Amino acid sequence: TFGWQAFTVEASYKAYDKSLKKLPTASSIAAPAPVLTEENALGYGTLNAKVSKHALDRLSQDIVSKQEARTKNSRRRMTVESADIDHINDRNAAFNKKIKRAFDKYTVEIRQNLERGTAV
């Protein structure tokens, strides 16, 4: 998937399903989570608050693997260091290119005067 297809409901579900497959199965979990009743419903997260070392290691490993995947899949942006920056984002840069193609022959002298500081 690429572009806007990465943000569809199907793509989100596919990513969720993929992450669920990495979770441990019910047989490998040591103790079941306590049942919340009306008396302790506001105590969510405070009951049995100890997290096992294995679970913390698994979480940190998951975070590291996601960071590695993010750096591996990111692409370098094409930039020219010597070029003048006359845009605020990629869309504006494309617009400025179109404007320059159409009107550059008429505005060269004006731009040079502005750069020199001798504009009238």
Side-chain angles (χ1 to χ4, degrees):
T1 62
F2 61 94
W4 290 109
Q5 293 175 349
F7 301 107
T8 61
V9 175
E10 292 85 13
S12 299
Y13 179 74
K14 204 170 157 184
Y16 170 74
D17 198 31
K18 188 176 180 181
S19 67
L20 278 183
K21 289 179 183 175
K22 293 180 183 177
L23 289 176
T25 58
S27 62
S28 65
I29 297 174
V35 177
L36 291 177
T37 61
E38 286 189 31
E39 297 87 36
N40 62 5
L42 296 177
Y44 182 79
T46 58
L47 303 172
N48 194 11
K50 293 185 179 182
V51 179
S52 69
K53 175 98 170 99
H54 176 69
L56 288 175
D57 289 340
R58 198 174 64 235
L59 176 65
S60 64
Q61 190 177 38
D62 184 52
I63 291 171
V64 168
S65 67
K66 284 183 181 180
Q67 285 175 342
E68 288 174 355
R70 199 175 301 126
T71 57
K72 184 182 80 172
N73 293 333
S74 67
R75 65 181 173 94
R76 277 225 184 262
R77 304 292 184 214
M78 297 287 289
T79 57
V80 179
E81 296 294 326
S82 62
D84 290 334
I85 298 174
D86 62 346
H87 57 276
I88 56 172
N89 55 28
D90 292 338
R91 187 174 175 188
N92 184 248
F95 178 76
N96 289 346
K97 281 183 187 178
K98 290 179 186 178
I99 294 295
K100 283 181 184 176
R101 269 197 309 261
F103 298 107
D104 207 23
K105 56 186 172 188
Y106 306 111
T107 60
V108 171
E109 184 181 351
I110 297 170
R111 192 177 322 109
Q112 288 173 350
N113 288 340
L114 286 171
E115 288 173 1
R116 281 194 306 257
T118 59
V120 184

